[in-house]
Amino acid sequence: MSGFNLVVPSKIIFGEGKIHTLNKYILEYGDNILFLCGKTSLKASGMYDKIIENFESDNISYEIHSIKEEPSVEVIDNLASEYRNKRVDAIVSIGGGSVIDTGKALSSMLKEDGSIKDFLEGVGTRTPSGKKIPFIAVPTTSGTGSEATKNAVIKGMDGEVRFKKSIRHDNLMPNVALVDPVLTLNCPKNVTMQSGIDAFCQLLEAYICTNSNTFTDMLAEKGLKRMCESLLGAYNNGEDLDSRNDVAYASLLSGICMANAGLTTIHGFAGVIGGFYDNIPHGAICASLLHGATVVNLQKIKDFEPNNPAAYKYAKIGAFLMDANYSPDRHEVFFRAVVDTLKSWNEEMNIPRLSDFGIEEDDFWKILEEAKQRYNPVKLSNSEMEKILEYSY
């Protein structure tokens, strides 16, 4: 067995109704918090008023900020400037990936000086110290896995160029990840699709990537099986709590896997596209790319590297989808099951194409110039990378 390093939240609390234990974990750090929430998701769940009532009954002082969009350099810098000299015992983010990433980045920047832009990978020149305000992440969507990752994605401008880059440090992992599937019951269908496919991509990519390990493989397999069984159920019936439980659990595992193994071409493209084009949901981009990237990777594996470890893993996923036992002599059948299922998901969940976002084929060159395939299981040529965009267009 090969060795591995693992970074996870200090505490993971998972289950229906666990939101009602939130105060217990807040009070381990103090009674004065900065509370970040989304513009609609928490109130739509019906939990907002109860959470505030619970804060007040336990004498927890709070300031509320509503996060309306993906975190930007400007937003993080403004919040850090506002709260750097105030008493904040903990930051609590209850919302989707943008709300959690905002809280995660802010927990770090309250202990740093300067702009967050200085600490972003590929943009700034400084490394985060790892000091932070205690941070509690409570997701209301099942997708980004940000409650279990050590980075926060921030958008901004570098001269005339838009970007999305990460601030990253092992200590940015949330102190507490509290996952209550009940909070996801009122997610709209499009959000369920986008977040669910994002989590599926993170599980798939972490599983097949060249940096995976035995521990992340074990978690990825469990997450992929749950997602394969329940994503359509959650999409078609938002009140199906069993499906919501499975998808929330798979999303949590996707964050752990992504943080400790890495990702491949899907996110290598998605980060670039999300940086170039504002206001395109990250999960929707991943969903658009998933089928095409899988087709191209599998074709390269079949033609040139049939003994690649990823061949076995793709086949295992196909077996999950077919509810069949894995057999090494049925790889072609299992590969086809993966490709056909992802194609059917495009139709069943109304997954958009890249062209639906206003991206033009003439834009491919600049996307390809920046796209990454760091841990992809096979090395793709420029023409093969372009083929992914063509399949997704």
Side-chain angles (χ1 to χ4, degrees), residues 151-260:
N151 71 299
V153 180
I154 309 299
K155 66 180 182 179
M157 298 288 293
D158 191 15
E160 297 297 317
V161 179
R162 296 180 186 273
F163 65 77
K164 280 188 180 179
K165 298 291 184 180
S166 286
I167 180 172
R168 189 185 309 271
H169 193 283
D170 283 358
N171 289 346
L172 291 190
M173 189 70 72
N175 300 81
V176 178
L178 192 156
V179 183
D180 187 337
V182 173
L183 296 177
T184 71
L185 286 175
N186 288 282
C187 275
K189 294 184 81 166
N190 67 316
V191 175
T192 298
M193 177 276 289
Q194 292 167 13
S195 58
I197 295 288
D198 189 13
F200 181 87
C201 289
Q202 289 166 179
L203 289 162
L204 171 66
E205 292 176 80
Y207 188 45
I208 63 168
C209 79
T210 57
N211 196 48
S212 67
N213 60 64
T214 52
F215 196 94
T216 57
D217 282 354
M218 176 183 68
L219 297 184
E221 286 188 7
K222 290 182 180 296
L224 286 163
K225 193 168 190 305
R226 293 285 186 98
M227 194 66 82
C228 291
E229 291 171 346
S230 297
L231 178 56
L232 282 176
Y235 176 79
N236 289 319
N237 179 7
E239 298 300 312
D240 180 350
L241 190 52
D242 287 340
S243 292
R244 291 291 188 182
N245 263 285
D246 281 349
V247 174
Y249 180 61
S251 176
L252 171 66
L253 295 183
S254 82
I256 296 172
C257 291
M258 172 176 62
N260 291 282

Side-chain angles (χ1 to χ4, degrees), residues 37 43 87 98 208 260 268 270 367 378 382:
C37 62
K43 291 183 178 179
R87 177 189 160 200
S98 294
I208 63 168
N260 291 282
I367 297 171
V378 285
N382 288 340

Side-chain angles (χ1 to χ4, degrees), residues 197-198 200-206 208 263-274 282-295 297 314 342 371-374 376-377 380 385 388-389 392:
I197 295 288
D198 189 13
F200 181 87
C201 289
Q202 289 166 179
L203 289 162
L204 171 66
E205 292 176 80
I208 63 168
L263 298 171
T264 63
T265 52
I266 297 172
H267 275 79
F269 273 122
V272 173
I273 293 170
H282 170 76
I285 300 172
C286 291
S288 299
L289 294 162
L290 172 58
H291 175 259
T294 302
V295 169
N297 272 340
Y314 274 118
L342 298 184
K372 303 292 190 294
Q373 51 172 313
R374 182 180 179 188
N376 206 56
L380 300 178
M385 290 285 280
I388 293 175
L389 296 178
S392 307

